[in-house]
Amino acid sequence: MISASNKFRRPSLFWLVILVPPALIALIVAAYASEVPFMDEWDVAPLLFALRNGSLQFAHLWLNHNEHRMLFPRALIVSLMALLGKWSIRAEVFTTVMIAIAQLFIFWRIARATVPARFILPLTLIASALIFHPLGSYNWLMGLQIAWFLALTCAIAAIAAIFARPGRWHGVVIATVAAVIGTYSMSAGLAIWPVGLMGLIALRRKGLGSRKQIALWCVAGIGAIGVFLATYPTSTESSSLVANLMRPLQVAFFVVEFLGGPFRIIYDGSYSAIIGAIGVLLALALAIRLARSRRRIGLLPTAILPWVMIVFFSALVAGMIGVTRSHMENAAHVAHYVALSGLFWIGIAGAHMALSGLPTADGDTIQTTSVQPAHLAVAVITIALTIGYLRSWNQGLTHIQLLSGQLRAFELSMLSNVKPVPEDLVVNIIYPVYGRPIQYSAQLRKLDEGFFWHGRDEAAVLSRVISAATSSKPATRQILYQGYIGAVSCERIDGWAWDRNDPDPITVSVLVDGVPTGTLVANVYRADLVNAGIGDGSHGFSGNLPEHAWDGNEHTIALTFEQTNEMLIGSPRKIQCPAK
């Protein structure tokens, strides 16, 4: 017999476990989120400039971003700027975390209304783990990802509102508002309209809802989509879109690979596709279970509908992305897509759990105890997915640490006024067009904004160090090292290093997992160093990765200046090379 105190403690303990993923993501954001924009985040800078000079207009918020209309996310970001009095990317990322927490709350509410009591907390835990997944590294480092989470959360909110009180007008109105916000957050929000229409029609067939509600939804959807597309510029990738439509198998493989995202442990399309195929098989198994139970529970019971809509929404958006992106290499592995593919798995789990709790015509719940092989298959799949998730979690954290270090390298270069900033660092990590971040950084410096505002104390320290190093007053020479790691691969390690007060070449130490394994002499001539004012240009270095690092395991490679523990910018790096 279970005591009352034990009944209380067990759910409380479960809730503590459920809150672990968001708590860990909050800690990761606090530790690694940077004030340095990267990739699409640089497109937020013009909003700041317009806000500061008083020229901000609705057109700035309405302007398309690729295929998206980010009206509401931009309005939210501008509101944060006005509230804080400065541009803070970290504040944007923490806002994203709060939106994700709201999404988790909505999932919990749907679970309470649709699945048996014994499944509510386990399903909420699954949702928590997939929503707060570090493999979606961009989501927890880029403030503009507010748009992505806002669109997805609005989709879940719209579905929840439709089914919270089926047939009630206020639910349809709330769902309509959520759909509009989602539409003008990311183009993924466009998928809310057909999915919502499917749900309203299904409810109408069950005697819940009215034609007027369906008409309202259709009018609002046509209006929202029409305004979205009005004066929308013709896509420069229209030819690729047509070509992708002519390759349905390529798009289908992209979607399956896409859906396997939350559990991938390597950047291998075939592996992700296998995981995604398991998800598709689970969806087919759901359809079979529904077909077998149709006479007893009817077609698509109300408790199943929200979860089926979530699965349909995620698969539809994955298809939309596949049509526009399937021709791009590794496009299905883009980090922030994990937030969407996770919804697919939450929907699949929720639908199966909800179906297990539905009563039959005799008043009993649907039983599946006789299908013991199916139980064994579910157990094997669950264990495999759990292992994949845990390993992908570690991979995501490593990626976040790497990105954070690279953003830090750019920040230090800008704060110390190193000119020019290494081109490979900017183009490969910060933004694909070298000039934009350099130009915008100069404007941020003038406005004392962004990472210049947050790093002003550090900039002052760097300025004093540099001025002291270049001053003629000290009687003894002061060492002032500068250096940057360019590439760290299984084939080579390269970069540059020098002492600003001594033109002679210096050496750098190579450390593998913290253990010194050799040195490299920085005496290779590079024309780009001459152009950057790095001495006579003979300060580059290049060498091979130590042999013992070729063992198939992941290693941390760090480079330090000679006889010091001071690391070069961009160090350390993670690398994994196959065993020889």
Side-chain angles (χ1 to χ4, degrees):
M1 182 175 181
I2 301 174
S3 66
S5 60
N6 285 337
K7 288 182 179 180
F8 174 78
R9 288 173 185 170
R10 188 174 298 174
S12 299
L13 181 61
F14 222 121
W15 270 112
L16 287 177
V17 177
I18 289 170
L19 294 176
V20 166
L24 288 176
I25 287 297
L27 291 173
I28 288 172
V29 170
Y32 296 109
S34 170
E35 296 293 352
V36 176
F38 80 107
M39 301 306 289
D40 293 355
E41 185 75 32
W42 286 101
D43 293 327
V44 175
L47 292 177
L48 172 71
F49 303 149
L51 179 65
R52 291 292 177 259
N53 62 29
S55 62
L56 183 67
Q57 300 177 354
F58 179 79
H60 290 93
L61 306 179
W62 182 251
L63 184 68
N64 68 290
H65 176 85
N66 298 329
E67 67 269 29
H68 312 292
R69 297 277 193 195
M70 295 185 174
L71 173 63
F72 291 101
R74 284 173 174 155
L76 181 55
I77 288 172
V78 169
S79 298
L80 284 174
M81 291 177 180
L83 179 65
L84 299 175
K86 58 183 179 292
W87 182 21
S88 173
I89 295 175
R90 285 172 60 87
E92 295 172 11
V93 177
F94 275 112
T95 301
T96 300
V97 174
M98 296 304 297
I99 295 173
I101 291 173
Q103 185 182 130
L104 177 62
F105 175 77
I106 296 170
F107 271 120
W108 172 69
R109 295 278 297 182
I110 298 175
R112 283 188 63 191
T114 59
V115 305
R118 68 183 184 277
F119 289 141
I120 294 175
L121 293 182
L123 181 55
T124 307
L125 176 59
I126 292 172
S128 178
L130 291 172
I131 293 171
F132 298 94
H133 198 331
L135 194 62
S137 51
Y138 288 6
N139 295 329
W140 316 119
L141 292 178
M142 186 190 298
L144 194 59
Q145 292 306 100
I146 282 178
W148 189 235
F149 271 87
L150 192 59
L152 299 184
T153 301
C154 283
I156 304 304
I159 292 170
I162 289 173
F163 288 93
R165 298 181 185 278
R168 300 291 182 89
W169 270 101
H170 73 275
V172 178
V173 171
I174 292 173
T176 302
V177 172
V180 170
I181 296 174
T183 298
Y184 296 111
S185 295
M186 293 281 282
S187 59
L190 293 169
I192 302 174
W193 298 105
V195 172
L197 179 61
M198 179 190 81
L200 289 171
I201 292 175
L203 289 176
R204 170 65 180 164
R205 289 174 62 88
K206 296 177 180 297
L208 301 171
S210 66
R211 293 179 180 176
K212 290 182 179 180
Q213 292 174 345
I214 296 176
L216 169 66
W217 184 264
C218 290
V219 170
I222 292 171
I225 295 172
V227 173
F228 182 97
L229 298 176
T231 67
Y232 197 78
T234 303
S235 173
T236 57
E237 296 184 352
S238 57
S239 59
S240 299
L241 187 148
V242 173
N244 291 339
L245 287 173
M246 299 300 291
R247 301 187 184 97
L249 291 179
Q250 173 183 288
V251 175
F253 183 84
F254 176 95
V255 172
V256 174
E257 184 182 348
F258 183 102
L259 295 176
F263 305 98
R264 69 171 183 263
I265 56 178
I266 50 175
Y267 286 97
D268 184 316
S270 299
Y271 179 85
S272 296
I274 291 172
I275 299 297
I278 292 174
V280 173
L281 290 176
L282 289 174
L284 291 175
L286 174 66
I288 293 172
R289 290 183 67 190
L290 286 170
R292 289 180 174 178
S293 307
R294 180 178 178 181
R295 292 183 180 179
R296 292 175 293 173
I297 61 176
L299 180 64
L300 279 181
T302 305
I304 305 290
L305 265 175
W307 302 109
V308 172
M309 290 176 67
I310 291 168
V311 172
F312 183 49
F313 169 80
S314 55
L316 179 58
V317 177
M320 292 166 56
I321 297 172
V323 168
T324 58
R325 298 282 191 273
S326 61
H327 63 287
M328 300 179 182
E329 185 178 2
N330 292 325
H333 295 159
V334 175
H336 64 262
Y337 289 159
V338 171
L340 172 65
S341 52
L343 299 185
F344 173 82
W345 293 91
I346 297 170
I348 289 292
H352 279 285
M353 291 179 181
L355 182 57
S356 297
L358 289 177
T360 65
D362 300 328
D364 298 324
T365 57
I366 296 175
Q367 301 293 325
T368 58
T369 54
S370 60
V371 193
Q372 293 181 1
H375 289 176
L376 179 61
V378 169
V380 171
I381 291 172
T382 301
I383 293 172
L385 293 180
T386 302
I387 293 173
Y389 174 83
L390 293 174
R391 294 191 64 180
S392 68
W393 206 99
N394 181 65
Q395 184 185 70
L397 178 58
T398 300
H399 192 212
I400 287 174
Q401 292 171 329
L402 177 61
L403 282 175
S404 179
Q406 291 165 330
L407 294 174
R408 178 63 172 163
F410 177 84
E411 181 179 21
L412 288 176
S413 296
M414 297 305 300
L415 292 177
S416 58
N417 207 24
V418 173
K419 296 181 180 179
V421 179
E423 184 171 354
D424 54 352
L425 171 64
V426 174
V427 175
N428 293 336
I429 302 299
I430 305 301
Y431 196 80
V433 180
Y434 182 79
R436 177 170 293 186
I438 304 303
Q439 174 191 349
Y440 285 172
S441 293
Q443 293 178 262
L444 291 173
R445 186 189 293 273
K446 290 179 182 179
L447 293 173
D448 194 25
E449 266 289 357
F451 60 92
F452 287 102
W453 189 93
H454 294 276
R456 66 171 118 199
D457 293 335
E458 185 172 4
V461 172
L462 288 170
S463 177
R464 287 197 297 270
V465 170
I466 292 174
S467 85
T470 55
S471 172
S472 59
K473 292 182 180 180
T476 59
R477 184 182 73 81
Q478 184 174 2
I479 297 174
L480 183 60
Y481 289 127
Q482 286 182 331
Y484 171 74
I485 299 180
V488 175
S489 67
C490 296
E491 286 72 33
R492 65 190 178 94
I493 302 172
D494 66 24
W496 59 269
W498 75 316
D499 178 358
R500 289 186 55 165
N501 288 340
D502 188 344
D504 293 336
I506 65 171
T507 60
V508 294
S509 299
V510 181
L511 289 77
V512 177
D513 299 326
V515 179
T517 59
T519 60
L520 297 172
V521 180
N523 60 357
V524 178
Y525 175 80
R526 286 174 40 173
D528 61 326
L529 297 182
V530 176
N531 297 332
I534 308 298
D536 60 0
S538 298
H539 299 288
F541 60 81
S542 181
N544 298 324
L545 193 69
E547 289 289 329
H548 70 273
W550 290 74
D551 58 1
N553 298 319
E554 185 180 70
H555 296 284
T556 301
I557 309 299
L559 270 66
T560 62
F561 296 104
E562 55 184 357
Q563 299 177 354
T564 74
N565 292 322
E566 182 182 354
M567 292 188 184
L568 279 66
I569 291 176
S571 185
R573 300 279 185 89
K574 299 282 187 180
I575 193 168
Q576 186 172 2
C577 300
K580 287 188 174 181

